[in-house]
Amino acid sequence: MIRQQSVALIFRFQKEVLAMAPRLALLSLILAFGVSVAFATVTTIRQVHQENASVAVHAAHS
């Protein structure tokens, strides 16, 4: 009796996890995309800042 309830509980839990899997996969993709966009933004801002600083240094030396 208890074993049957345990097995039924495990199967129900597996069904719930499998039902959530597509949502978790989508959330993971969205999160990964957000992290990559943030990284690219920071890298671009840093590069532009370095170029502007380099131009200012060359202008000061001229």
Side-chain angles (χ1 to χ4, degrees), residues 17 19-30:
V17 169
M20 288 188 337
R23 281 184 241 149
L24 290 173
L26 181 61
L27 182 63
S28 297
L29 286 173
I30 292 169

Side-chain angles (χ1 to χ4, degrees), residues 22-43:
R23 281 184 241 149
L24 290 173
L26 181 61
L27 182 63
S28 297
L29 286 173
I30 292 169
L31 185 64
F33 180 73
V35 168
S36 67
V37 168
F39 181 77
T41 302
V42 168
T43 304

